[in-house]
Amino acid sequence: SFQQTQDDVIPRYVRVNTLKTTLEDVIDYLKREGFSYQGTASRLEDLDCLSGKTFLRDLHLQDLLVFSAKTDFHDHFLYKAGHIILQDKASCLPAFLLNPQVGSHVIDACAAPGNKTSHLAAIMKNKGKLFAFDLDAKRLSTMSTLLLRAGVTCHQLANQDFLKVDPQSSEYKEVESILLDPSCSGSGMVCLRDEVSEQQDEGRLQALATFQLRCLNHALQFPQVQRVVYSTCSIHAQENEEVVSACLQQNPGFRLVHLLPNWPERGHEPLSQCLRASTAKTRTHGFFVAMLERRPPQTDEEN
Ligand code: SAM
C-alpha cells in the first residue's frame, strides 16, 4: 500500500496571473496578510523547509510562488479574482517552454480545463490567436469560466476532436506553436498513484499511447508549425519517450530540443533532451515534457 514519506509531500504552487496582476503586487498582498516571503529558492531542498505562512519564489519559473503543502488558496480573494492560478509546477512547464511570441498564432490541442491555455495567453500578453480544442463539452464549459476569471481574451474555444481539425484550413495557416497535452493514464498524479500505478491495464496504456502518437503526428501536419510541446502527467515510458521516439521516426523533418539544461530529471535514455518530473527529484507530480522543432531547411553545402 501507499506510504507517505517526506519525498511524497508536494509543496503548494501558485502561478501569478500576469494578465491581471504582477508578482510584486501578489507578494505585497500576501505579506500584508501575514505571510512571510523568503525570497527566491536557491536549491530544491529549500522547498522542504516551508511551513505555516512562509513562501518562496520558485527556482526555475519566474512567476511561480511556493507554499507549504498544507496551504489552501481555494477560498482566497486572489484565487477567486483570477490573480493567482493554482497549478502544479510541472504543469507550468509546457507553456513556459513553448514560450509563444506576443501576437503569434498558437494551438492548444487538448485544452480543458485550460490552465495551460491561460498560461499561454499570459505569455502572449493576450495578443495574437490562441485556438483551443477539447472533445469534452462539460470540461470546456468549466474552461470558459476559468478563462473568464483569468482575463484571457485572445482565445477561440472549439468543442472539437483535434484529430479532425484540418491542418490545411486557412484559419491555421499562421500557427507556429502547438501545445499538446493529451489524455493520459494520469499515473504521475500522486493522489491517484496508489490506485492506478502497478496495475495499469496494458490494453488501456496501449490505447492511450496510440491516441497520443496520432495527436502528435497530427500536430506536425500544420504547414507553418515550428515547435510542438508534448506533455503528459504519466510516468510510463510507453506514453512518453516511446510516443516521442515513434513520432520522430515517422517525421524526419523534426528533431528534439534540449530543454532546461539545469533541470534535475531527464527523459529516459536516449531521450535526455526531454524532461521528467517527480516528487523525489523535482517536488512535483510525475510529469513528462518533450519539445519537437522543425529542422531548418538544408543548404546546398549540406546536401
Ligand atoms: N491541458 C489541460 C490543462 O492544462 O488544463 C489538461 C488537458 S487533459 C490532460 C486532456 C484533455 O484532452 C481532456 O480534457 C480531454 O477531454 C481532451 N481530449 C481527449 N481526446 C481529445 C481529442 N481527440 N481532441 C481534443 N481533445 C481531446
Side-chain angles (χ1 to χ4, degrees):
S1 81
F2 183 68
Q3 285 273 304
Q4 203 163 55
T5 65
Q6 184 59 45
D7 275 355
D8 295 315
V9 177
I10 301 177
R12 201 63 77 178
Y13 294 96
V14 164
R15 180 168 63 78
V16 172
N17 178 14
T18 55
L19 290 178
K20 285 220 156 168
T21 184
T22 63
L23 184 73
E24 290 69 30
D25 282 356
V26 168
I27 292 174
D28 284 347
Y29 190 100
L30 293 169
K31 285 208 265 193
R32 282 198 301 274
E33 277 193 335
F35 281 91
S36 160
Y37 179 53
Q38 320 263 290
T40 304
S42 52
R43 44 191 200 112
L44 191 67
E45 290 70 27
D46 290 348
L47 307 188
D48 302 331
C49 304
L50 290 165
S51 69
K53 289 192 128 186
T54 61
F55 70 108
L56 289 161
R57 190 167 156 197
D58 185 65
L59 207 60
H60 301 95
L61 298 165
Q62 297 238 109
D63 298 321
L64 200 64
L65 297 172
V66 200
F67 298 79
S68 78
K70 295 195 181 77
T71 321
D72 187 1
F73 284 104
H74 282 94
D75 292 322
H76 198 277
F77 163 77
L78 291 177
Y79 174 65
K80 290 182 169 165
H83 289 204
I84 60 173
I85 313 280
L86 308 180
Q87 191 174 357
D88 183 55
K89 174 175 175 174
S91 89
C92 295
L93 288 170
F96 170 77
L97 293 168
L98 190 62
N99 192 22
Q101 285 184 8
V102 174
S104 64
H105 290 196
V106 179
I107 286 177
D108 189 346
C110 297
N115 278 332
K116 297 182 188 76
T117 317
S118 92
H119 193 187
L120 287 168
I123 295 167
M124 295 159 71
K125 300 196 194 309
N126 253 341
K127 297 194 174 82
K129 273 196 188 151
L130 182 42
F131 301 98
F133 303 103
D134 204 283
L135 203 50
D136 185 326
K138 200 158 165 266
R139 287 169 66 93
L140 266 183
S141 92
T142 307
M143 177 161 173
S144 300
T145 310
L146 190 146
L147 295 183
L148 186 68
R149 188 170 60 201
V152 175
T153 53
C154 63
H155 64 292
Q156 186 174 308
L157 281 191
N159 187 191
Q160 209 177 327
D161 181 345
F162 174 62
L163 293 170
K164 295 194 178 132
V165 174
D166 178 9
Q168 302 307 325
S169 158
S170 66
E171 218 180 341
Y172 312 120
K173 65 178 191 298
E174 290 175 48
V175 169
E176 290 189 2
S177 316
I178 298 181
L179 190 153
L180 173 63
D181 184 43
S183 299
C184 72
S185 62
S187 55
M189 301 302 291
V190 170
C191 46
L192 298 178
R193 204 173 280 168
D194 46 343
E195 290 156 38
V196 289
S197 66
E198 309 311 319
Q199 322 225 343
Q200 270 291 349
D201 167 35
E202 191 47 39
R204 178 170 174 254
L205 273 187
Q206 193 47 59
L208 283 165
T210 302
F211 164 70
Q212 291 151 353
L213 178 57
R214 286 183 67 204
C215 287
L216 191 50
N217 280 334
H218 193 68
L220 301 187
Q221 303 311 309
F222 287 76
Q224 277 306 316
V225 74
Q226 303 303 318
R227 289 139 69 91
V228 175
V229 164
Y230 173 74
S231 61
T232 73
C233 58
S234 164
I235 56 173
H236 291 98
Q238 211 177 341
E239 298 177 89
N240 297 331
E241 290 86 350
E242 291 180 24
V243 167
V244 171
S245 294
C247 177
L248 287 167
Q249 229 159 47
Q250 294 167 24
N251 298 275
F254 287 81
R255 65 184 179 194
L256 285 173
V257 177
H258 190 92
L259 300 172
L260 298 182
N262 295 325
W263 188 260
E265 190 169 8
R266 315 300 310 182
H268 292 176
E269 288 298 333
L271 299 198
S272 57
Q273 300 97 326
C274 307
L275 304 182
R276 275 184 171 250
S278 64
T279 314
K281 294 202 177 130
T282 59
R283 300 295 186 272
T284 65
H285 288 282
F287 207 79
F288 174 84
V289 195
M291 178 148 68
L292 284 73
E293 70 175 3
R294 191 185 291 279
R295 286 180 193 277
Q298 288 200 330
T299 62
D300 284 346
E301 293 93 273
E302 285 166 327
N303 278 331

Coordinates of all heavy atoms in Angstrom, one line a residue, residues 138-190:
K138 N -18.4 19.3 -21.3 CA -18.5 19.7 -19.9 C -17.2 20.4 -19.4 O -17.2 21.4 -18.7 CB -18.9 18.5 -19.1 CG -19.5 18.8 -17.7 CD -20.3 17.7 -17.1 CE -20.5 17.9 -15.7 NZ -19.5 17.3 -14.8
R139 N -16.1 19.7 -19.8 CA -14.8 20.3 -19.4 C -14.6 21.7 -20.1 O -14.0 22.6 -19.5 CB -13.7 19.3 -19.7 CG -13.6 18.1 -18.8 CD -12.7 17.0 -19.3 NE -11.3 17.4 -19.3 CZ -10.4 17.2 -18.3 NH1 -10.9 16.6 -17.2 NH2 -9.2 17.5 -18.4
L140 N -15.1 21.8 -21.3 CA -15.0 23.1 -22.0 C -15.8 24.2 -21.3 O -15.3 25.3 -21.3 CB -15.5 23.0 -23.4 CG -14.4 22.6 -24.5 CD1 -15.1 22.6 -25.8 CD2 -13.3 23.7 -24.5
S141 N -16.9 23.8 -20.7 CA -17.7 24.9 -20.0 C -17.0 25.3 -18.7 O -17.0 26.5 -18.4 CB -19.1 24.5 -19.9 OG -19.4 23.9 -18.6
T142 N -16.4 24.4 -18.0 CA -15.5 24.7 -16.9 C -14.4 25.7 -17.3 O -14.1 26.6 -16.7 CB -14.9 23.5 -16.3 OG1 -15.9 22.5 -16.0 CG2 -14.1 23.8 -15.0
M143 N -13.9 25.3 -18.5 CA -12.8 26.1 -19.0 C -13.2 27.6 -19.4 O -12.4 28.5 -19.1 CB -12.3 25.4 -20.3 CG -11.2 26.1 -21.0 SD -10.3 25.0 -22.1 CE -9.2 26.2 -22.9
S144 N -14.4 27.8 -19.9 CA -14.8 29.1 -20.2 C -14.8 30.0 -18.9 O -14.4 31.1 -18.9 CB -16.2 29.1 -20.7 OG -16.3 28.4 -21.9
T145 N -15.3 29.4 -17.9 CA -15.4 30.1 -16.6 C -14.0 30.4 -16.1 O -13.7 31.6 -15.7 CB -16.1 29.2 -15.5 OG1 -17.3 28.7 -16.0 CG2 -16.3 29.9 -14.2
L146 N -13.1 29.5 -16.2 CA -11.7 29.7 -15.7 C -11.0 30.8 -16.6 O -10.3 31.6 -16.0 CB -11.0 28.3 -15.9 CG -9.6 28.2 -15.2 CD1 -9.4 26.8 -14.7 CD2 -8.5 28.6 -16.2
L147 N -11.2 30.7 -17.9 CA -10.6 31.7 -18.7 C -11.1 33.1 -18.5 O -10.4 34.1 -18.6 CB -10.7 31.4 -20.2 CG -9.9 30.1 -20.7 CD1 -10.1 29.9 -22.1 CD2 -8.5 30.1 -20.3
L148 N -12.4 33.2 -18.3 CA -13.1 34.5 -18.0 C -12.5 35.1 -16.7 O -12.1 36.2 -16.7 CB -14.6 34.3 -17.8 CG -15.4 35.5 -17.7 CD1 -15.4 36.3 -19.0 CD2 -16.9 35.2 -17.3
R149 N -12.4 34.2 -15.7 CA -11.8 34.7 -14.4 C -10.4 35.1 -14.6 O -9.9 36.1 -13.9 CB -11.9 33.6 -13.4 CG -11.6 34.0 -12.0 CD -12.0 32.9 -11.0 NE -11.2 31.6 -11.3 CZ -11.6 30.4 -10.9 NH1 -12.7 30.3 -10.2 NH2 -10.9 29.4 -11.2
A150 N -9.7 34.4 -15.4 CA -8.2 34.8 -15.6 C -8.0 35.9 -16.6 O -6.9 36.4 -16.8 CB -7.5 33.5 -16.1
G151 N -9.1 36.5 -17.1 CA -8.9 37.6 -18.0 C -8.4 37.3 -19.4 O -7.8 38.2 -20.1
V152 N -8.5 36.0 -19.8 CA -8.0 35.7 -21.1 C -9.0 36.1 -22.2 O -10.2 35.9 -22.1 CB -7.8 34.1 -21.2 CG1 -7.4 33.7 -22.6 CG2 -6.8 33.7 -20.2
T153 N -8.5 36.8 -23.2 CA -9.3 37.3 -24.3 C -8.9 36.9 -25.7 O -9.6 37.0 -26.7 CB -9.5 38.8 -24.3 OG1 -8.1 39.3 -24.3 CG2 -10.2 39.3 -23.0
C154 N -7.7 36.3 -25.8 CA -7.1 36.1 -27.2 C -7.5 34.7 -27.7 O -6.9 34.2 -28.7 CB -5.6 36.3 -27.2 SG -4.7 35.1 -26.1
H155 N -8.4 34.0 -27.0 CA -8.6 32.6 -27.3 C -9.9 32.4 -28.2 O -10.8 33.2 -28.2 CB -8.8 31.7 -26.0 CG -10.0 32.2 -25.2 ND1 -10.1 33.4 -24.6 CD2 -11.2 31.5 -25.0 CE1 -11.2 33.5 -24.0 NE2 -11.9 32.4 -24.2
Q156 N -9.9 31.2 -28.8 CA -11.1 30.8 -29.6 C -11.3 29.3 -29.2 O -10.5 28.5 -29.6 CB -10.8 31.0 -31.1 CG -12.0 30.7 -32.0 CD -11.6 31.1 -33.4 OE1 -11.1 32.2 -33.7 NE2 -11.8 30.1 -34.3
L157 N -12.4 29.1 -28.5 CA -12.6 27.7 -28.0 C -13.5 26.9 -29.0 O -14.4 27.5 -29.6 CB -13.5 27.8 -26.7 CG -12.8 28.1 -25.4 CD1 -13.8 27.8 -24.2 CD2 -11.5 27.3 -25.2
A158 N -13.1 25.7 -29.2 CA -14.0 24.8 -30.0 C -14.1 23.4 -29.4 O -13.2 22.8 -29.0 CB -13.4 24.7 -31.4
N159 N -15.4 23.0 -29.4 CA -15.7 21.6 -28.9 C -15.5 20.7 -30.1 O -16.4 20.4 -30.8 CB -17.2 21.6 -28.5 CG -17.5 20.3 -27.8 OD1 -18.7 20.0 -27.6 ND2 -16.6 19.5 -27.5
Q160 N -14.2 20.3 -30.3 CA -13.8 19.6 -31.5 C -12.7 18.6 -31.2 O -11.9 18.8 -30.3 CB -13.3 20.6 -32.5 CG -13.5 20.2 -33.9 CD -13.0 21.3 -34.9 OE1 -13.1 22.5 -34.6 NE2 -12.5 20.9 -36.0
D161 N -12.8 17.5 -31.9 CA -11.8 16.4 -31.9 C -10.5 17.0 -32.6 O -10.6 17.3 -33.8 CB -12.3 15.2 -32.6 CG -11.3 14.1 -32.6 OD1 -10.1 14.3 -32.3 OD2 -11.7 12.9 -32.9
F162 N -9.4 17.1 -31.9 CA -8.2 17.7 -32.5 C -7.8 16.9 -33.7 O -7.3 17.5 -34.7 CB -7.1 17.8 -31.5 CG -5.8 18.2 -32.1 CD1 -5.7 19.5 -32.7 CD2 -4.7 17.4 -32.1 CE1 -4.5 19.9 -33.3 CE2 -3.5 17.8 -32.7 CZ -3.4 19.1 -33.3
L163 N -8.0 15.6 -33.7 CA -7.6 14.8 -34.8 C -8.4 15.1 -36.1 O -8.0 14.7 -37.2 CB -7.7 13.3 -34.5 CG -6.8 12.8 -33.4 CD1 -7.2 11.4 -33.0 CD2 -5.3 12.9 -33.9
K164 N -9.6 15.8 -35.9 CA -10.4 16.1 -37.1 C -10.2 17.6 -37.5 O -10.9 18.1 -38.4 CB -11.8 15.8 -36.8 CG -12.0 14.3 -36.6 CD -13.5 13.9 -36.7 CE -13.7 12.4 -36.6 NZ -14.7 12.1 -35.6
V165 N -9.3 18.3 -36.8 CA -9.1 19.7 -37.2 C -8.2 19.7 -38.4 O -7.2 19.0 -38.5 CB -8.3 20.5 -36.0 CG1 -7.9 21.9 -36.5 CG2 -9.2 20.5 -34.8
D166 N -8.6 20.4 -39.5 CA -7.9 20.3 -40.8 C -6.7 21.2 -40.8 O -6.8 22.4 -40.8 CB -8.9 20.7 -41.9 CG -8.2 20.7 -43.2 OD1 -7.0 20.2 -43.4 OD2 -8.8 21.2 -44.2
P167 N -5.5 20.6 -40.8 CA -4.2 21.5 -40.8 C -4.1 22.4 -42.0 O -3.4 23.4 -41.9 CB -3.1 20.4 -40.8 CG -3.7 19.1 -40.4 CD -5.2 19.2 -40.9
Q168 N -4.8 22.0 -43.1 CA -4.7 22.8 -44.3 C -5.7 24.0 -44.3 O -5.6 24.9 -45.2 CB -5.0 22.0 -45.6 CG -4.0 20.8 -45.7 CD -2.6 21.2 -45.6 OE1 -2.2 22.2 -46.1 NE2 -1.8 20.3 -45.0
S169 N -6.6 24.1 -43.3 CA -7.5 25.2 -43.3 C -6.8 26.5 -43.2 O -5.8 26.6 -42.4 CB -8.5 25.0 -42.1 OG -9.0 26.2 -41.7
S170 N -7.3 27.5 -43.9 CA -6.6 28.8 -43.9 C -6.6 29.4 -42.6 O -5.7 30.3 -42.3 CB -7.2 29.7 -45.0 OG -8.5 30.0 -44.6
E171 N -7.5 29.0 -41.7 CA -7.6 29.6 -40.4 C -6.3 29.4 -39.6 O -5.9 30.2 -38.7 CB -8.7 29.0 -39.6 CG -9.4 29.9 -38.7 CD -10.6 29.3 -38.0 OE1 -11.1 28.2 -38.4 OE2 -11.0 29.9 -37.0
Y172 N -5.6 28.3 -39.9 CA -4.4 27.9 -39.1 C -3.1 28.1 -39.8 O -2.1 27.6 -39.4 CB -4.6 26.4 -38.6 CG -5.9 26.1 -38.1 CD1 -6.8 25.1 -38.6 CD2 -6.4 26.8 -37.0 CE1 -8.0 24.9 -38.1 CE2 -7.7 26.6 -36.4 CZ -8.5 25.6 -37.0 OH -9.7 25.4 -36.5
K173 N -3.2 28.9 -40.9 CA -2.0 28.9 -41.8 C -0.8 29.7 -41.1 O 0.3 29.5 -41.5 CB -2.3 29.6 -43.1 CG -2.8 31.0 -43.1 CD -3.0 31.5 -44.5 CE -3.2 33.0 -44.7 NZ -4.4 33.5 -43.9
E174 N -1.1 30.4 -40.0 CA 0.0 31.1 -39.4 C 0.4 30.5 -38.1 O 1.2 31.0 -37.3 CB -0.4 32.6 -39.1 CG -0.5 33.4 -40.3 CD -1.0 34.8 -40.0 OE1 -0.5 35.4 -39.1 OE2 -2.0 35.3 -40.7
V175 N -0.2 29.3 -37.7 CA 0.1 28.7 -36.5 C 1.5 28.2 -36.5 O 1.9 27.3 -37.3 CB -0.9 27.5 -36.2 CG1 -0.4 26.7 -35.0 CG2 -2.3 28.1 -35.9
E176 N 2.3 28.7 -35.5 CA 3.8 28.3 -35.4 C 4.0 27.4 -34.2 O 5.0 26.7 -34.2 CB 4.6 29.5 -35.3 CG 4.7 30.3 -36.6 CD 5.7 31.4 -36.6 OE1 6.4 31.5 -35.6 OE2 5.8 32.1 -37.6
S177 N 3.2 27.5 -33.2 CA 3.4 26.8 -32.0 C 2.2 26.0 -31.6 O 1.1 26.5 -31.7 CB 3.7 27.7 -30.8 OG 4.6 28.7 -31.2
I178 N 2.4 24.7 -31.1 CA 1.3 23.9 -30.7 C 1.7 23.3 -29.3 O 2.8 22.8 -29.1 CB 1.0 22.8 -31.7 CG1 0.6 23.4 -33.0 CG2 -0.1 21.8 -31.1 CD1 0.2 22.4 -34.1
L179 N 0.7 23.3 -28.4 CA 0.9 22.7 -27.1 C -0.1 21.5 -27.1 O -1.3 21.6 -27.4 CB 0.5 23.6 -26.0 CG 0.8 23.2 -24.5 CD1 1.1 24.4 -23.6 CD2 -0.3 22.3 -24.0
L180 N 0.5 20.3 -26.9 CA -0.3 19.1 -27.0 C -0.2 18.4 -25.6 O 0.9 17.8 -25.3 CB 0.2 18.2 -28.1 CG -0.4 16.8 -28.1 CD1 -1.9 16.8 -28.4 CD2 0.3 15.9 -29.2
D181 N -1.2 18.4 -24.9 CA -1.3 17.8 -23.5 C -2.5 16.8 -23.5 O -3.5 17.0 -22.9 CB -1.5 18.9 -22.5 CG -1.5 18.5 -21.1 OD1 -0.6 17.7 -20.7 OD2 -2.3 19.0 -20.3
P182 N -2.3 15.7 -24.2 CA -3.5 14.8 -24.4 C -3.9 14.0 -23.2 O -3.1 13.9 -22.3 CB -3.0 13.9 -25.6 CG -1.5 13.8 -25.4 CD -1.1 15.1 -24.8
S183 N -5.0 13.4 -23.3 CA -5.4 12.4 -22.2 C -4.3 11.4 -22.0 O -3.7 10.9 -23.0 CB -6.7 11.7 -22.6 OG -7.8 12.6 -22.8
C184 N -4.1 11.1 -20.7 CA -3.1 10.1 -20.4 C -3.6 9.3 -19.2 O -4.6 9.5 -18.7 CB -1.7 10.7 -20.2 SG -1.7 11.6 -18.6
S185 N -2.7 8.3 -18.8 CA -3.1 7.4 -17.7 C -3.2 8.2 -16.4 O -3.9 7.7 -15.4 CB -2.1 6.3 -17.6 OG -0.9 6.8 -17.2
G186 N -2.6 9.3 -16.3 CA -2.6 10.1 -15.0 C -1.7 9.4 -13.9 O -1.8 9.8 -12.8
S187 N -0.9 8.5 -14.4 CA -0.1 7.8 -13.4 C 0.9 8.6 -12.6 O 1.5 8.1 -11.6 CB 0.6 6.6 -14.0 OG 1.4 7.0 -15.1
G188 N 1.2 9.8 -13.0 CA 2.1 10.7 -12.3 C 1.4 11.5 -11.2 O 2.1 12.1 -10.3
M189 N 0.1 11.5 -11.2 CA -0.6 12.2 -10.1 C -0.5 11.5 -8.8 O -1.0 10.4 -8.7 CB -2.1 12.4 -10.5 CG -2.3 13.1 -11.8 SD -1.6 14.8 -11.8 CE -2.6 15.6 -10.7
V190 N 0.1 12.1 -7.8 CA 0.5 11.5 -6.6 C -0.8 10.9 -5.9 O -0.8 9.8 -5.4 CB 1.3 12.4 -5.7 CG1 1.4 11.8 -4.3 CG2 2.7 12.6 -6.3

